[in-house]
mmCIF file of all heavy atoms in Angstrom:
data_model
loop_
_atom_site.group_PDB
_atom_site.id
_atom_site.type_symbol
_atom_site.label_atom_id
_atom_site.label_comp_id
_atom_site.label_asym_id
_atom_site.label_seq_id
_atom_site.Cartn_x
_atom_site.Cartn_y
_atom_site.Cartn_z
ATOM 1 N N PRO A 27 -20.008 -11.512 -36.598
ATOM 2 C CA PRO A 27 -20.281 -12.930 -37.073
ATOM 3 C C PRO A 27 -19.724 -13.124 -38.468
ATOM 4 O O PRO A 27 -19.437 -12.147 -39.218
ATOM 5 C CB PRO A 27 -21.759 -13.098 -36.954
ATOM 6 C CG PRO A 27 -22.303 -11.694 -36.918
ATOM 7 C CD PRO A 27 -21.252 -10.875 -36.279
ATOM 8 N N HIS A 28 -19.667 -14.371 -38.836
ATOM 9 C CA HIS A 28 -19.221 -14.721 -40.236
ATOM 10 C C HIS A 28 -19.913 -13.856 -41.393
ATOM 11 O O HIS A 28 -19.325 -13.426 -42.288
ATOM 12 C CB HIS A 28 -19.448 -16.181 -40.547
ATOM 13 C CG HIS A 28 -18.635 -17.129 -39.723
ATOM 14 N ND1 HIS A 28 -17.161 -17.025 -39.718
ATOM 15 C CD2 HIS A 28 -18.914 -18.159 -38.949
ATOM 16 C CE1 HIS A 28 -16.667 -17.922 -38.958
ATOM 17 N NE2 HIS A 28 -17.772 -18.614 -38.485
ATOM 18 N N ASP A 29 -21.313 -13.730 -41.221
ATOM 19 C CA ASP A 29 -21.982 -13.088 -42.223
ATOM 20 C C ASP A 29 -22.315 -11.604 -41.916
ATOM 21 O O ASP A 29 -23.095 -10.906 -42.612
ATOM 22 C CB ASP A 29 -23.406 -13.812 -42.412
ATOM 23 C CG ASP A 29 -24.280 -13.767 -41.161
ATOM 24 O OD1 ASP A 29 -23.719 -13.309 -40.047
ATOM 25 O OD2 ASP A 29 -25.413 -14.210 -41.234
ATOM 26 N N GLY A 30 -21.569 -10.983 -41.003
ATOM 27 C CA GLY A 30 -21.748 -9.673 -40.659
ATOM 28 C C GLY A 30 -20.631 -8.781 -41.068
ATOM 29 O O GLY A 30 -19.610 -9.204 -41.703
ATOM 30 N N ASP A 31 -20.667 -7.538 -40.715
ATOM 31 C CA ASP A 31 -19.686 -6.551 -41.093
ATOM 32 C C ASP A 31 -19.652 -5.475 -40.096
ATOM 33 O O ASP A 31 -20.478 -5.260 -39.201
ATOM 34 C CB ASP A 31 -19.924 -5.926 -42.485
ATOM 35 C CG ASP A 31 -18.683 -5.484 -43.197
ATOM 36 O OD1 ASP A 31 -17.612 -5.318 -42.510
ATOM 37 O OD2 ASP A 31 -18.673 -5.393 -44.476
ATOM 38 N N PHE A 32 -18.567 -4.561 -40.108
ATOM 39 C CA PHE A 32 -18.537 -3.440 -39.196
ATOM 40 C C PHE A 32 -19.761 -2.555 -39.366
ATOM 41 O O PHE A 32 -20.149 -2.317 -40.524
ATOM 42 C CB PHE A 32 -17.370 -2.544 -39.495
ATOM 43 C CG PHE A 32 -15.934 -3.107 -38.883
ATOM 44 C CD1 PHE A 32 -15.387 -4.191 -39.436
ATOM 45 C CD2 PHE A 32 -15.493 -2.519 -37.771
ATOM 46 C CE1 PHE A 32 -14.193 -4.643 -38.894
ATOM 47 C CE2 PHE A 32 -14.281 -2.902 -37.231
ATOM 48 C CZ PHE A 32 -13.672 -4.069 -37.795
ATOM 49 N N PRO A 33 -20.436 -2.099 -38.339
ATOM 50 C CA PRO A 33 -21.464 -1.158 -38.611
ATOM 51 C C PRO A 33 -20.877 0.092 -39.138
ATOM 52 O O PRO A 33 -19.831 0.458 -38.846
ATOM 53 C CB PRO A 33 -22.057 -0.941 -37.107
ATOM 54 C CG PRO A 33 -21.024 -1.373 -36.180
ATOM 55 C CD PRO A 33 -20.232 -2.433 -36.950
ATOM 56 N N ALA A 34 -21.680 0.795 -39.996
ATOM 57 C CA ALA A 34 -21.246 2.085 -40.636
ATOM 58 C C ALA A 34 -22.201 3.155 -40.592
ATOM 59 O O ALA A 34 -23.423 2.918 -40.444
ATOM 60 C CB ALA A 34 -20.823 1.677 -42.085
ATOM 61 N N ALA A 35 -21.599 4.349 -40.603
ATOM 62 C CA ALA A 35 -22.597 5.555 -40.640
ATOM 63 C C ALA A 35 -23.104 5.612 -42.117
ATOM 64 O O ALA A 35 -22.510 5.050 -43.030
ATOM 65 C CB ALA A 35 -21.778 6.795 -40.310
ATOM 66 N N GLU A 36 -24.116 6.428 -42.246
ATOM 67 C CA GLU A 36 -24.737 6.665 -43.517
ATOM 68 C C GLU A 36 -23.794 7.185 -44.517
ATOM 69 O O GLU A 36 -23.826 6.804 -45.727
ATOM 70 C CB GLU A 36 -25.973 7.583 -43.379
ATOM 71 C CG GLU A 36 -26.712 7.756 -44.668
ATOM 72 C CD GLU A 36 -27.935 8.656 -44.520
ATOM 73 O OE1 GLU A 36 -28.167 9.126 -43.345
ATOM 74 O OE2 GLU A 36 -28.652 9.034 -45.478
ATOM 75 N N GLU A 37 -22.766 8.000 -44.077
ATOM 76 C CA GLU A 37 -21.799 8.466 -44.942
ATOM 77 C C GLU A 37 -20.837 7.387 -45.516
ATOM 78 O O GLU A 37 -20.069 7.739 -46.436
ATOM 79 C CB GLU A 37 -20.962 9.591 -44.318
ATOM 80 C CG GLU A 37 -20.087 9.067 -43.052
ATOM 81 C CD GLU A 37 -19.392 10.219 -42.572
ATOM 82 O OE1 GLU A 37 -19.805 11.377 -42.511
ATOM 83 O OE2 GLU A 37 -18.296 9.878 -41.835
ATOM 84 N N GLY A 38 -20.849 6.229 -44.883
ATOM 85 C CA GLY A 38 -20.097 5.067 -45.361
ATOM 86 C C GLY A 38 -18.894 4.681 -44.527
ATOM 87 O O GLY A 38 -18.399 3.580 -44.686
ATOM 88 N N ASN A 39 -18.478 5.571 -43.628
ATOM 89 C CA ASN A 39 -17.249 5.215 -42.741
ATOM 90 C C ASN A 39 -17.698 4.205 -41.604
ATOM 91 O O ASN A 39 -18.808 4.324 -40.983
ATOM 92 C CB ASN A 39 -16.740 6.475 -42.018
ATOM 93 C CG ASN A 39 -15.890 7.272 -42.990
ATOM 94 O OD1 ASN A 39 -15.104 6.785 -43.749
ATOM 95 N ND2 ASN A 39 -16.279 8.602 -42.954
ATOM 96 N N GLN A 40 -16.867 3.228 -41.469
ATOM 97 C CA GLN A 40 -17.150 2.268 -40.411
ATOM 98 C C GLN A 40 -17.055 2.867 -39.052
ATOM 99 O O GLN A 40 -16.335 3.814 -38.803
ATOM 100 C CB GLN A 40 -16.157 1.070 -40.546
ATOM 101 C CG GLN A 40 -16.279 0.155 -41.706
ATOM 102 C CD GLN A 40 -15.093 -0.855 -41.687
ATOM 103 O OE1 GLN A 40 -14.095 -0.812 -40.944
ATOM 104 N NE2 GLN A 40 -15.344 -1.948 -42.531
ATOM 105 N N LEU A 41 -17.901 2.331 -38.125
ATOM 106 C CA LEU A 41 -17.861 2.743 -36.732
ATOM 107 C C LEU A 41 -16.717 1.928 -36.048
ATOM 108 O O LEU A 41 -16.289 0.896 -36.500
ATOM 109 C CB LEU A 41 -19.130 2.537 -36.004
ATOM 110 C CG LEU A 41 -20.343 3.030 -36.659
ATOM 111 C CD1 LEU A 41 -21.565 2.979 -35.696
ATOM 112 C CD2 LEU A 41 -20.265 4.534 -37.055
ATOM 113 N N ARG A 42 -16.257 2.383 -34.899
ATOM 114 C CA ARG A 42 -15.213 1.721 -34.210
ATOM 115 C C ARG A 42 -15.749 1.271 -32.810
ATOM 116 O O ARG A 42 -16.686 1.874 -32.218
ATOM 117 C CB ARG A 42 -13.974 2.650 -33.861
ATOM 118 C CG ARG A 42 -13.326 3.052 -35.189
ATOM 119 C CD ARG A 42 -12.832 1.856 -35.942
ATOM 120 N NE ARG A 42 -12.163 2.408 -37.292
ATOM 121 C CZ ARG A 42 -12.543 1.843 -38.390
ATOM 122 N NH1 ARG A 42 -13.506 0.962 -38.492
ATOM 123 N NH2 ARG A 42 -11.948 2.234 -39.524
ATOM 124 N N LEU A 43 -15.289 0.103 -32.332
ATOM 125 C CA LEU A 43 -15.778 -0.452 -31.036
ATOM 126 C C LEU A 43 -15.414 0.353 -29.815
ATOM 127 O O LEU A 43 -14.181 0.446 -29.574
ATOM 128 C CB LEU A 43 -15.244 -1.874 -30.881
ATOM 129 C CG LEU A 43 -15.731 -2.685 -29.645
ATOM 130 C CD1 LEU A 43 -17.240 -2.999 -29.808
ATOM 131 C CD2 LEU A 43 -15.006 -3.839 -29.375
ATOM 132 N N LEU A 44 -16.323 0.954 -29.165
ATOM 133 C CA LEU A 44 -16.137 1.610 -27.949
ATOM 134 C C LEU A 44 -15.999 0.516 -26.788
ATOM 135 O O LEU A 44 -15.079 0.602 -26.099
ATOM 136 C CB LEU A 44 -17.259 2.561 -27.672
ATOM 137 C CG LEU A 44 -17.048 3.360 -26.262
ATOM 138 C CD1 LEU A 44 -16.002 4.283 -26.411
ATOM 139 C CD2 LEU A 44 -18.445 4.103 -25.970
ATOM 140 N N ALA A 45 -16.871 -0.328 -26.783
ATOM 141 C CA ALA A 45 -16.779 -1.424 -25.665
ATOM 142 C C ALA A 45 -17.788 -2.567 -26.062
ATOM 143 O O ALA A 45 -18.784 -2.376 -26.892
ATOM 144 C CB ALA A 45 -17.340 -0.824 -24.384
ATOM 145 N N GLN A 46 -17.536 -3.743 -25.500
ATOM 146 C CA GLN A 46 -18.455 -4.882 -25.556
ATOM 147 C C GLN A 46 -18.457 -5.637 -24.293
ATOM 148 O O GLN A 46 -17.468 -5.584 -23.542
ATOM 149 C CB GLN A 46 -18.136 -5.825 -26.782
ATOM 150 C CG GLN A 46 -16.898 -6.581 -26.671
ATOM 151 C CD GLN A 46 -16.736 -7.632 -27.814
ATOM 152 O OE1 GLN A 46 -17.229 -7.350 -28.923
ATOM 153 N NE2 GLN A 46 -15.873 -8.613 -27.545
ATOM 154 N N ILE A 47 -19.586 -6.165 -23.891
ATOM 155 C CA ILE A 47 -19.840 -6.714 -22.653
ATOM 156 C C ILE A 47 -20.316 -8.103 -22.789
ATOM 157 O O ILE A 47 -21.325 -8.431 -23.400
ATOM 158 C CB ILE A 47 -20.798 -5.880 -21.666
ATOM 159 C CG1 ILE A 47 -20.276 -4.472 -21.476
ATOM 160 C CG2 ILE A 47 -21.019 -6.601 -20.359
ATOM 161 C CD1 ILE A 47 -21.231 -3.547 -20.894
ATOM 162 N N ASP A 48 -19.560 -9.087 -22.106
ATOM 163 C CA ASP A 48 -20.086 -10.389 -21.967
ATOM 164 C C ASP A 48 -21.110 -10.420 -20.817
ATOM 165 O O ASP A 48 -20.769 -10.289 -19.731
ATOM 166 C CB ASP A 48 -18.907 -11.337 -21.702
ATOM 167 C CG ASP A 48 -19.405 -12.773 -21.354
ATOM 168 O OD1 ASP A 48 -20.657 -13.046 -21.365
ATOM 169 O OD2 ASP A 48 -18.523 -13.673 -21.062
ATOM 170 N N CYS A 49 -22.401 -10.471 -21.185
ATOM 171 C CA CYS A 49 -23.451 -10.089 -20.283
ATOM 172 C C CYS A 49 -23.439 -11.125 -19.092
ATOM 173 O O CYS A 49 -24.023 -10.890 -18.062
ATOM 174 C CB CYS A 49 -24.812 -10.045 -20.971
ATOM 175 S SG CYS A 49 -24.920 -8.744 -22.227
ATOM 176 N N SER A 50 -22.931 -12.366 -19.348
ATOM 177 C CA SER A 50 -22.981 -13.396 -18.273
ATOM 178 C C SER A 50 -22.162 -12.981 -17.056
ATOM 179 O O SER A 50 -22.294 -13.528 -16.049
ATOM 180 C CB SER A 50 -22.456 -14.737 -18.848
ATOM 181 O OG SER A 50 -21.110 -14.660 -19.196
ATOM 182 N N GLN A 51 -21.344 -11.991 -17.320
ATOM 183 C CA GLN A 51 -20.450 -11.470 -16.224
ATOM 184 C C GLN A 51 -21.053 -10.364 -15.393
ATOM 185 O O GLN A 51 -20.607 -9.896 -14.338
ATOM 186 C CB GLN A 51 -19.078 -10.895 -16.744
ATOM 187 C CG GLN A 51 -18.275 -11.945 -17.517
ATOM 188 C CD GLN A 51 -17.003 -11.320 -18.145
ATOM 189 O OE1 GLN A 51 -17.039 -10.104 -18.424
ATOM 190 N NE2 GLN A 51 -15.925 -12.139 -18.128
ATOM 191 N N VAL A 52 -22.287 -9.960 -15.806
ATOM 192 C CA VAL A 52 -23.029 -8.803 -15.185
ATOM 193 C C VAL A 52 -24.343 -9.353 -14.593
ATOM 194 O O VAL A 52 -25.211 -9.600 -15.264
ATOM 195 C CB VAL A 52 -23.295 -7.664 -16.198
ATOM 196 C CG1 VAL A 52 -24.000 -6.507 -15.437
ATOM 197 C CG2 VAL A 52 -21.999 -7.116 -16.774
ATOM 198 N N ASP A 53 -24.252 -9.449 -13.323
ATOM 199 C CA ASP A 53 -25.481 -9.890 -12.604
ATOM 200 C C ASP A 53 -26.286 -8.691 -11.987
ATOM 201 O O ASP A 53 -26.118 -8.288 -10.876
ATOM 202 C CB ASP A 53 -25.095 -10.845 -11.309
ATOM 203 C CG ASP A 53 -26.212 -11.356 -10.627
ATOM 204 O OD1 ASP A 53 -27.434 -11.310 -11.113
ATOM 205 O OD2 ASP A 53 -26.141 -11.913 -9.424
ATOM 206 N N PHE A 54 -27.162 -8.243 -12.856
ATOM 207 C CA PHE A 54 -27.826 -6.874 -12.502
ATOM 208 C C PHE A 54 -29.113 -6.710 -13.244
ATOM 209 O O PHE A 54 -29.094 -6.674 -14.537
ATOM 210 C CB PHE A 54 -26.956 -5.717 -12.706
ATOM 211 C CG PHE A 54 -27.380 -4.442 -12.153
ATOM 212 C CD1 PHE A 54 -27.183 -4.246 -10.823
ATOM 213 C CD2 PHE A 54 -27.827 -3.479 -12.973
ATOM 214 C CE1 PHE A 54 -27.614 -3.011 -10.341
ATOM 215 C CE2 PHE A 54 -28.230 -2.267 -12.475
ATOM 216 C CZ PHE A 54 -28.131 -2.018 -11.079
ATOM 217 N N GLU A 55 -30.207 -6.733 -12.606
ATOM 218 C CA GLU A 55 -31.576 -6.550 -13.343
ATOM 219 C C GLU A 55 -31.619 -5.091 -13.725
ATOM 220 O O GLU A 55 -31.317 -4.168 -13.006
ATOM 221 C CB GLU A 55 -32.715 -6.879 -12.376
ATOM 222 C CG GLU A 55 -32.730 -8.424 -11.986
ATOM 223 C CD GLU A 55 -33.130 -9.358 -13.108
ATOM 224 O OE1 GLU A 55 -33.634 -8.854 -14.155
ATOM 225 O OE2 GLU A 55 -32.771 -10.555 -13.054
ATOM 226 N N PRO A 56 -32.243 -4.819 -14.923
ATOM 227 C CA PRO A 56 -32.811 -5.762 -15.873
ATOM 228 C C PRO A 56 -31.755 -6.117 -17.036
ATOM 229 O O PRO A 56 -32.159 -6.361 -18.189
ATOM 230 C CB PRO A 56 -33.961 -5.180 -16.538
ATOM 231 C CG PRO A 56 -33.591 -3.644 -16.527
ATOM 232 C CD PRO A 56 -32.759 -3.557 -15.280
ATOM 233 N N PHE A 57 -30.506 -6.073 -16.695
ATOM 234 C CA PHE A 57 -29.392 -6.226 -17.734
ATOM 235 C C PHE A 57 -29.593 -7.724 -18.229
ATOM 236 O O PHE A 57 -29.944 -8.697 -17.477
ATOM 237 C CB PHE A 57 -28.049 -6.100 -17.136
ATOM 238 C CG PHE A 57 -26.982 -5.631 -18.148
ATOM 239 C CD1 PHE A 57 -26.931 -4.369 -18.545
ATOM 240 C CD2 PHE A 57 -26.094 -6.583 -18.524
ATOM 241 C CE1 PHE A 57 -26.035 -3.933 -19.550
ATOM 242 C CE2 PHE A 57 -25.084 -6.084 -19.476
ATOM 243 C CZ PHE A 57 -25.036 -4.887 -19.907
ATOM 244 N N PRO A 58 -29.290 -8.013 -19.560
ATOM 245 C CA PRO A 58 -29.293 -9.279 -20.128
ATOM 246 C C PRO A 58 -28.445 -10.296 -19.269
ATOM 247 O O PRO A 58 -27.381 -9.914 -18.750
ATOM 248 C CB PRO A 58 -28.788 -9.198 -21.585
ATOM 249 C CG PRO A 58 -29.041 -7.792 -21.967
ATOM 250 C CD PRO A 58 -28.800 -7.064 -20.612
ATOM 251 N N LYS A 59 -28.826 -11.486 -19.186
ATOM 252 C CA LYS A 59 -28.060 -12.565 -18.390
ATOM 253 C C LYS A 59 -27.053 -13.278 -19.274
ATOM 254 O O LYS A 59 -26.177 -14.005 -18.749
ATOM 255 C CB LYS A 59 -29.152 -13.576 -17.783
ATOM 256 C CG LYS A 59 -29.982 -12.927 -16.752
ATOM 257 C CD LYS A 59 -30.947 -13.862 -16.124
ATOM 258 C CE LYS A 59 -31.686 -13.302 -14.930
ATOM 259 N NZ LYS A 59 -32.401 -12.023 -15.222
ATOM 260 N N SER A 60 -27.209 -13.234 -20.569
ATOM 261 C CA SER A 60 -26.254 -13.852 -21.456
ATOM 262 C C SER A 60 -26.101 -13.017 -22.725
ATOM 263 O O SER A 60 -26.838 -11.997 -22.967
ATOM 264 C CB SER A 60 -26.679 -15.315 -21.784
ATOM 265 O OG SER A 60 -27.848 -15.209 -22.420
#
C-alpha cells in the first residue's frame, strides 16, 4: 500500500515475495473469501 514498505528482517534486509493469493479465487473453507 501507499503507506507501506517491503517487510524486512531484523538485520535490515528486505524480504522478497514468495507468493501472493487473491483469496476471492480460492473457494475453500476456512480460507479467506476475499
Side-chain angles (χ1 to χ4, degrees):
H28 292 301
D29 59 353
D31 209 338
F32 278 76
E36 185 177 357
E37 65 180 25
N39 285 312
Q40 291 180 343
L41 308 187
R42 299 294 177 238
L43 183 74
L44 180 68
Q46 70 178 21
I47 299 172
D48 176 355
C49 299
S50 67
Q51 297 178 330
V52 180
D53 181 15
F54 193 74
E55 294 292 340
F57 207 77
K59 293 178 172 57
S60 62

